[in-house]
Amino acid sequence: MLRTALRNVLAHKARLLMTVLAVMLGVAFVSGTLVFTNTITDAYQNSSAKGFDGVDVAVSAKYREPKGDEPGDYPDLDQTLLDRSARVPGAASAVGVVSGFTAMADKNGKLIGNGWQTKGGNYWGTDDSRYPLTSGHAPRGENEVLVDAKTAERAGYKVGDTVRLSIDGPVLSPQIVGVFTTDDGNVAAGGSLALFDTATAQKLFGKAGGYDEIDVRAKPGTSQAALKSQLDKALPKDRTETTTGQSLADEQAQQIADSMNGMRQGLLVFAGIALFVGTFIIANTFTMLVAQRTKELALLRAVGASRRQVTRSVLIEAFVVGTVAGVTGLAAGIGIGAGLRALLGSFGDTIPDGPLIVTPGTVVAALAVGVVITMLAAWLPGRRAAKIPPVAAMSSLHAQATTKSLVLRNTLGALFAAAGVAVVLAATTMKGTDGQAPMGLGAVLLIIGVFILTPLLSRPLIAAAAPVLRVFGVSGKLARQNSVRNPRRTAATASALMIGLTLITGMTVMAGSLQTAIDKMATSALRADYVVRMANGNNLSPDVDRKLAALDDVSASSPMRDALARIDGETEYLTGVNGPAIGKLTDLKVDEGAFTVTGSKIVVDDTTAKSRGWKAGTQFTAHFEGGRTKRLTVAGVYEGNELIRGVLVDTAALPKLSDTRDMQVMVKMAGGASAAAKDTLEKALDSNPGIQVQSKKDLSDSIAQMFTLLLNMLYGLLGMAVLVAVLGVINTLAMSVFERSQEIGMLRAIGLDRRAVKRMVRLESLVISLFGGVLGIGLGVFFGWAVGRLAGSSMPTYELVLPWDRIAIFLLLSAVVGALAALWPARRASRLNMLAAIKSE
């Protein structure tokens, strides 16, 4: 049986090539994903480990729990603690570290890093081993700064140039007096690092003589654990906590690995879907191959082969095919991983240097995926062939499925589909994350049910195309009959395309509906023309609000200011706003009371009001730092949304806090929104690279950015699914042509010319592809509606939006897939020798 299986593999090389390609694509994506993510993760982990070479123990501030009505905080590490750390017996040196967000502009005024973390900090001195200078000298005073070498190279900066920097709002223009090297992972990832002298950094980052961290180096012969123990004894336990450099490196390495897991899982999901689509092709291929050898297998049974041996011979073929596909897929995946690494490296060299990582786990996963998927897909056809009685096989009595088997299949499919629809509909009535698991379960059940029912659905849906096919005469009639002749084969072929289009259509519908909801939210909730905020999400300096409010073109403005307070023993973040102006800048629906924010009167969103048990007229006392209190009264309850929520308090009623920060500033222009108005605001802020001036459209686009990103990734997935589906259609048509060789020869003999034969095969391919496209788009619209309902349960502005233009494109894409897939099979069919074909069995 082993020799028989190997002979069959070699006898069907051309037909099995498509199967190998289908498996290889999925394996290549899996192995390429693992190689790429392992390589990047290893590079970042090595780079971050180098960044802790000069840190044996790090001393950080310990969080002080709230006491009474005083909010909790982190005390600064002062000079006394730094000196005490340096005097510990096992310490060779101690360095105080100050750091914070620092936006750096390139020579065109644009933010360097394109969204990556950009930082600033202090340069300890000429003996600072953390940041060795390659040119220039140490910074002295507010007008001097150091820039890392990679940023200097990317932006074209050199010693003597002036650079624009932004720290919490104000713009600085210091001179670059030196360039240094660093292993900082943020810099390697495309960010930037600017260093000031310690006094300047403390002033800029609001430390007032304090530090964020104290890095201590051990004397030779002193271990990190021993140094940590000595520091724990010397430093106050209620103010500080210590961590070894190795622990910090391990923690950061784990954070890097965790951050890469999202990318790895996302890519592996795509690979899994590609394999899922490919599984239908593999199963379809082996089903047809086994069907073509039915008499051969029956003869083997007649001469003594058992059912188990017949099934085993098919599985041996699958094992050989899967092994070949696994090996070639692994090689292709290594190439994909290296290519992605080189591609990212070409974009400004933002990835740390490192070797290509191919782990044993990657090799095992690639081979296991290739072999297991192929053998699972081949098991059912092999088992079905082994069950056919030899006499029935030789007389072809097995060819037609029994009525009982069709009834059982259709009943099972209807049950799965009905259960799936019921679970999905039930999930749409839930809120938040509660409905995610039921939604996923319902989607899987419905897709399985539709797949089982696809042979039944193929007849009426393909019959609907009969009027169009009649236009093509005999070729069209034959194409329709061939499409429904073997419904199971047609269903398996169409299902590959159906799954890809289900995903992309569903995501397109959901993303379009949510985008419209967000646009409406921005339009309905905001009357302001612009929202000003920091590019990295940090808080703004109060100077920004003062500068914008002073402009003649600004008719109204208000900050949204963070104010930490204790209310009824619990921490609550209040939002300070310009009371007299907030009504001109927002248009929030009030459920109870009045939208009045003046003096001690406040408004609160409905969610907070419900959780606190507040309503219009409720009074409470807010406790702020330093023991200061304020008696506040709820004037109204409004409907919160993603843009505006929480407790809104007049800034005039808030006590002066030590750390006053604005989350954003809303601005309404006298002449409305325009390019000139936006330019006026940006110039008023000195064209600050770290500050974004966003219109309502910009704001809604930024909120919907994750949907757009995911949608673009799914379009990439569609490309792979379409490629696999094309291979499946080609495979099915090629085998169908082989099966019908005698029939095609007879048609040629009675007058059907080569052009008509080509047209017949092409129309058959087109009908099968459009059938899969219609099913996929229909399921996608249903899932898009259902998931959108679940995701939009907290959005009053949500409504279903069908992107008819994109749906038409997806349907056209299905037709293109069918046309492309038919090229080779149609050419092969038209070139068959009619006499040889008639004599074939």
Side-chain angles (χ1 to χ4, degrees), residues 254-266:
Q254 185 60 48
Q255 290 175 354
I256 292 171
D258 292 342
S259 66
M260 295 302 296
N261 277 341
M263 178 188 294
R264 179 188 286 109
Q265 290 171 3

Side-chain angles (χ1 to χ4, degrees), residues 661-819:
R661 303 293 179 92
D662 294 341
M663 296 178 287
Q664 61 188 36
V665 176
M666 295 180 287
V667 180
K668 188 171 182 63
M669 307 297 290
S674 66
K678 186 174 183 178
D679 187 58
T680 298
L681 296 178
E682 290 178 344
K683 287 182 178 179
L685 299 173
D686 298 328
S687 300
N688 193 313
I691 298 180
Q692 293 177 327
V693 179
Q694 296 179 303
S695 64
K696 294 179 184 179
K697 182 67 168 60
D698 297 332
L699 198 61
S700 63
D701 287 346
S702 66
I703 296 175
Q705 187 175 7
M706 62 177 178
F707 300 113
T708 304
L709 178 62
L710 184 57
L711 189 61
N712 290 336
M713 293 175 71
L714 279 176
Y715 281 137
L717 167 63
L718 177 64
M720 174 162 283
V722 166
L723 181 59
V724 176
V726 168
L727 290 175
V729 178
I730 293 174
N731 210 7
T732 300
L733 290 175
M735 291 190 173
S736 178
V737 168
F738 177 82
E739 285 181 350
R740 305 201 313 264
S741 295
Q742 189 178 56
E743 174 189 323
I744 293 172
M746 290 294 296
L747 290 172
R748 290 288 315 283
I750 62 176
L752 196 67
D753 59 18
R754 289 185 174 183
R755 182 176 298 177
V757 171
K758 282 185 178 180
R759 188 182 304 122
M760 176 187 70
V761 177
R762 289 170 181 166
L763 289 173
E764 181 182 347
S765 175
L766 192 64
V767 166
I768 292 174
S769 297
L770 286 175
F771 169 55
V774 169
L775 283 181
I777 291 172
L779 282 174
V781 170
F782 176 71
F783 287 138
W785 167 81
V787 176
R789 287 272 297 184
L790 179 62
S793 59
S794 59
M795 286 187 180
T797 56
Y798 178 83
E799 65 179 36
L800 178 66
V801 176
L802 293 179
W804 294 108
D805 53 342
R806 295 198 180 187
I807 289 177
I809 291 173
F810 297 154
L811 196 61
L812 179 62
L813 181 63
S814 302
V816 172
V817 167

Side-chain angles (χ1 to χ4, degrees), residues 31 50 68 159 219 225 398 503 583-584 595 691 748:
S31 56
K50 291 179 182 178
V159 174
K219 290 180 178 178
H398 68 287
L503 286 170
K584 303 175 184 177
F595 195 83
I691 298 180
R748 290 288 315 283

